[in-house]
C-alpha cells in the first residue's frame, strides 16, 4: 500500500528541494499517495489564512508530512512560526524534535556524529506570558517556560532509548540549572531518576553555555544530547554550522506514540534570495527524507542508503552551497544515480 503523505512545499526554495526529495523516494520504489497543501507566506498574503483548522484535521489522517520551508520577507516575524509550525507541533503532539549531525574531519575538528533531542511542545515556546501597559514607557513583557513532568519525562525516556541503541551509549543533558532553578529542576530530577533504569547508558550534564563551547572545540564528546525547546533550537543551529552548514541539517518532528503523523523538514529557511536560481542545496531535505523513511515508514535500510547516496553527491559537489558545482536538480540526479548503484549492488 502507498504511504499517505501531506506535502507542504511552502515558500522560496521549499518547493525546489521538496521536488528533489520526492524524485528520489519515488525512484527508490517507495509508493506514495501525496496531497499538496498551499501553505506558507504566499497563502497568508493572498488570503490572510495561515493554517485553517479544517486542513489540520485532514492532516491527522496521513502517515507523514513533508515540509520544504515557509516564510517570505513580507510576512511579519512570528505569524508563520506560531500559526503554522508551532500550531502543527502542538496539535499533532510532535513532542520530539530529532536532529542528527554527521560530518567528516576538517581543519576545525576530527568529525561530528551526534544527535540532539529537543523537547518540542513546551518550554518558552508554549506561549505562556503577555504584556502589561503595552506600548507605553512603563511596558512590561513576560515569557514563561512551561515544563511538565509528563512532557519532560517522555522526552528524556526517548533520549535514553535512542542512546541505548547506539554503540557509544552516551547521553548528555544540557540546561542551565545554576540559574533557571525552577525550569531546570524537573529536567535534572527526571533525568537522574530515569537514568537509574538505564545502567548501560553513560550520562553527563553540561550547562548550555558550556555545551556551546564543547560542541565547537570537541564535538566528539557528544553522542546523544537532550535539552529543552529553546536551548535545543539554539544548539542545533550551532551544530549545523559545525557539521557542514545549516543548509545540510535535517529535522524530524516526531510523535513517537503514533497518535498522528510526524513531520519532516530541513532546518534551513526559505532563502528567498536564491529561490529560482538553481542554487538551493537539497541535502537538508534529502536527509529529512531519510528520517521519514526510518521513523514513519520503518525503512531504516533504505534511509541509510539515501543518506549514503546524499553523502556521495556532496563529495562530488562540495561547493554547491555557494553557487558552484551542480544545480539543485543536478544534485538530486547525482543522489539518484548513487542510490541506484547502491541498491543494485
Amino acid at each position: 500500500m502507498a504511504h499517505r503523505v501531506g506535502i507542504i512545499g511552502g515558500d522560496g526554495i521549499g518547493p525546489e528541494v521538496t521536488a528533489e526529495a520526492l524524485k528520489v523516494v519515488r525512484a527508490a520504489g517507495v509508493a506514495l499517495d501525496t496531497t499538496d497543501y498551499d501553505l506558507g507566506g504566499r497563502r497568508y498574503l493572498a488570503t490572510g489564512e495561515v493554517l485553517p483548522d479544517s486542513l489540520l484535521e485532514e492532516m491527522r489522517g496521513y502517515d507523514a508530512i513533508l515540509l520544504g520551508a515557509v516564510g517570505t520577507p513580507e510576512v511579519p516575524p512570528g505569524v508563520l512560526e506560531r500559526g503554522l509550525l508551532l500550531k502543527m507541533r502542538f496539535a499533532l503532539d510532535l513532542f520530539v524534535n530529532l536532529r542528527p549531525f554527521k560530518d567528516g574531519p576538517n581543519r576545525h575538528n576530527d568529525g561530528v556524529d551526534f544527535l540532539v533531542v529537543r523537547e518540542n511542545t513546551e518550554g518558552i515556546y508554549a506561549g505562556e506570558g503577555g504584556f502589561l501597559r503595552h506600548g507605553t514607557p512603563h511596558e512590561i513583557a513576560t515569557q514563561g517556560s512551561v515544563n511538565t513532568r509528563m512532557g519532560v519525562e517522555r522526552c528524556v525516556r526517548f533520549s535514553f532509548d535512542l542512546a541505548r541503541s547506539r554503540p557509544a551509549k552516551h547521553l548528555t543533558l544540557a540546561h542551565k540549572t545554576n540559574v533557571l532553578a525552577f525550569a531546570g529542576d524537573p529536567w535534572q530530577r527526571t533525568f537522574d531518576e530515569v537514568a537509574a533504569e538505564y545502567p548501560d547508558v553513560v550520562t553527563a550534564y553540561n550547562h548550555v553555555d558550556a555545551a556551546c563551547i564543547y560542541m565547537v572545540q570537541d564535538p566528539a564528546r557528544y553522542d546523544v544530547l537532550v535539552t529543552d525547546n529553546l536551548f535545543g533550537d539554539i544548539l542545533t543551529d550551532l551544530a549545523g554550522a559545525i557539521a557542514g552548514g545549516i543548509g545540510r541539517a535535517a529535522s524530524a518532528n516526531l510523535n513517537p506514540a503514533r497518535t498522528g503523523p510526524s513531520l519532516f523538514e530541513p532546518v534551513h529557511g526559505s532563502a528567498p534570495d536564491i529561490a529560482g536560481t538553481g542554487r538551493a542545496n537539497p541535502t537538508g531535505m534529502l536527509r529529512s527524507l531519510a528520517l521519514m523513511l526510518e521513523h514513519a515508514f520503518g525503512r531504516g535500510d533504505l534511509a541509510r542508503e539515501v543518506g549514503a547516496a546524499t553523502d556521495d553527491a556532496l563529495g562530488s559537489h562540495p561547493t554547491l552551497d555557494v553557487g558552484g558545482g551542480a544545480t539543485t536538480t543536478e544534485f538530486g540526479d547525482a543522489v539518484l544515480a548513487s542510490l541506484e548503484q547502491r541498491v543494485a549492488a
Side-chain angles (χ1 to χ4, degrees):
M1 293 180 62
H3 299 285
R4 298 189 66 221
V5 181
I7 306 295
I8 305 173
D11 304 306
I13 65 172
E16 301 171 38
V17 298
T18 302
E20 297 310 305
L22 292 175
K23 178 173 70 179
V24 169
V25 71
R26 285 175 169 141
V30 178
L32 299 181
D33 177 8
T34 61
T35 301
D36 292 315
Y37 288 98
D38 177 23
L39 296 171
R42 289 179 304 171
R43 175 167 182 157
Y44 173 76
L45 292 172
T47 68
E49 292 182 313
V50 179
L51 176 59
D53 291 340
S54 59
L55 290 188
L56 182 59
E57 288 304 311
E58 185 178 316
M59 290 179 185
R60 293 183 186 277
Y62 287 98
D63 299 316
I65 299 169
L66 192 65
L67 188 152
V70 295
T72 63
E74 301 81 6
V75 178
V79 172
L80 298 177
E81 291 85 351
R82 296 210 62 84
L84 178 61
L85 301 177
L86 294 186
K87 183 175 181 178
M88 293 178 71
R89 292 176 188 175
F90 297 156
L92 300 177
D93 204 20
L94 307 176
F95 65 85
V96 163
N97 184 256
L98 177 65
R99 297 186 179 183
F101 299 94
K102 189 170 185 177
D103 195 38
N106 56 53
R107 63 190 180 93
H108 299 295
N109 57 63
D110 295 329
V112 175
D113 184 8
F114 61 83
L115 302 99
V116 178
V117 179
R118 167 189 173 189
E119 200 290 316
N120 212 30
T121 60
E122 296 187 349
I124 290 287
Y125 292 12
E128 191 276 330
F131 292 104
L132 181 64
R133 296 189 286 274
H134 189 230
T136 75
H138 304 287
E139 180 174 333
I140 298 172
T142 65
Q143 192 89 44
S145 181
V146 178
N147 300 270
T148 68
R149 172 68 189 217
M150 179 201 72
V152 171
E153 183 170 345
R154 64 184 183 175
C155 184
V156 166
R157 286 191 178 278
F158 178 93
S159 303
F160 271 100
D161 287 334
L162 181 61
R164 175 177 271 177
S165 71
R166 288 169 58 85
K169 292 180 171 53
H170 190 280
L171 177 63
T172 302
L173 169 65
H175 210 285
K176 191 66 175 172
T177 55
N178 59 335
V179 175
L180 303 180
F182 303 127
D185 182 72
W187 279 92
Q188 187 69 72
R189 282 190 295 109
T190 303
F191 186 83
D192 293 343
E193 291 170 11
V194 175
E197 303 175 29
Y198 293 80
D200 54 329
V201 175
V202 179
T203 62
Y205 171 82
N206 291 157
H207 290 322
V208 67
D209 44 350
C212 290
I213 297 172
Y214 299 148
M215 192 172 284
V216 174
Q217 291 183 337
D218 183 24
R221 74 166 56 206
Y222 293 122
D223 180 37
V224 179
L225 191 151
V226 61
T227 187
D228 82 345
N229 210 335
L230 175 61
F231 295 148
D233 195 357
I234 296 168
L235 285 172
T236 53
D237 280 358
L238 176 60
I242 67 169
I246 201 69
R248 302 182 181 186
S251 171
N253 299 272
L254 301 177
N255 177 337
R258 299 187 182 275
T259 58
S262 293
L263 184 150
F264 303 86
E265 58 176 331
V267 175
H268 63 68
S270 60
D273 57 319
I274 62 169
T277 67
R279 290 173 53 196
N281 188 334
T283 297
M285 174 56 90
L286 290 165
R287 288 174 170 171
S288 298
L289 170 68
L291 290 172
M292 183 175 76
L293 290 169
E294 179 177 2
H295 291 276
F297 304 162
R299 292 296 308 273
D301 55 338
L302 186 55
R304 288 186 288 274
E305 296 292 352
V306 169
T310 302
D311 291 343
D312 290 343
L314 278 172
S316 303
H317 308 94
T319 61
L320 178 67
D321 307 72
V322 293
T327 65
T328 305
T329 301
E330 290 170 344
F331 187 88
D333 291 341
V335 173
L336 188 56
S338 175
L339 181 64
E340 290 174 343
Q341 292 178 353
R342 288 177 171 278
V343 172

